[in-house]
Amino acid sequence: MRPPPEGVWVMPPEMLKTMPGYDPDVPKSRAEGRRIMEKLGYRADKRLEIEVSTRNLAPYRDAAILLIDQSKEINIDAELEPVDRSTIWST
């Protein structure tokens, strides 16, 4: 699934702009995220602490690390909890 212009399995930009939560203006989206978090009582001095669990494989870890990094900008502190696949399937 390659992005345009090379990718053919993409949503047209005019349709993408109608999707809830999508806005190509990243700073505007993050400012709105901070406003929402502040409305819920989470500020720079009182941040929401969460744990992000994911499989302990590079593609999953990498995506989780990106999530954790970007969440910091909206007053969320997250800790990565890698889950070993063998512990999921053991009985």
Side-chain angles (χ1 to χ4, degrees):
M1 303 295 262
R2 298 179 67 189
E6 296 86 9
V8 294
W9 298 99
V10 296
M11 189 177 294
E14 55 276 352
M15 183 185 281
L16 187 59
K17 291 178 184 174
T18 66
M19 300 298 292
Y22 176 82
D23 190 340
D25 186 354
V26 175
K28 176 183 162 196
S29 295
R30 290 185 181 162
E32 177 64 20
R34 277 189 297 277
R35 279 193 292 278
I36 292 169
M37 293 300 288
E38 288 170 359
K39 183 178 177 184
L40 295 171
Y42 299 103
R43 302 172 305 277
D45 61 335
K46 182 184 179 232
R47 302 169 67 84
L48 177 63
E49 294 183 11
I50 64 171
E51 188 173 279
V52 176
S53 298
T54 188
R55 293 177 65 183
N56 196 13
L57 297 171
Y60 298 97
R61 278 192 319 264
D62 293 349
I65 289 168
L66 289 172
L67 169 71
I68 290 168
D69 183 58
Q70 293 177 8
S71 297
K72 291 176 184 177
E73 297 196 28
I74 60 168
N75 302 329
I76 298 175
D77 286 335
E79 181 178 326
L80 180 63
E81 175 65 33
V83 179
D84 184 16
R85 183 177 168 183
S86 65
T87 61
I88 294 172
W89 301 107
S90 64
T91 55

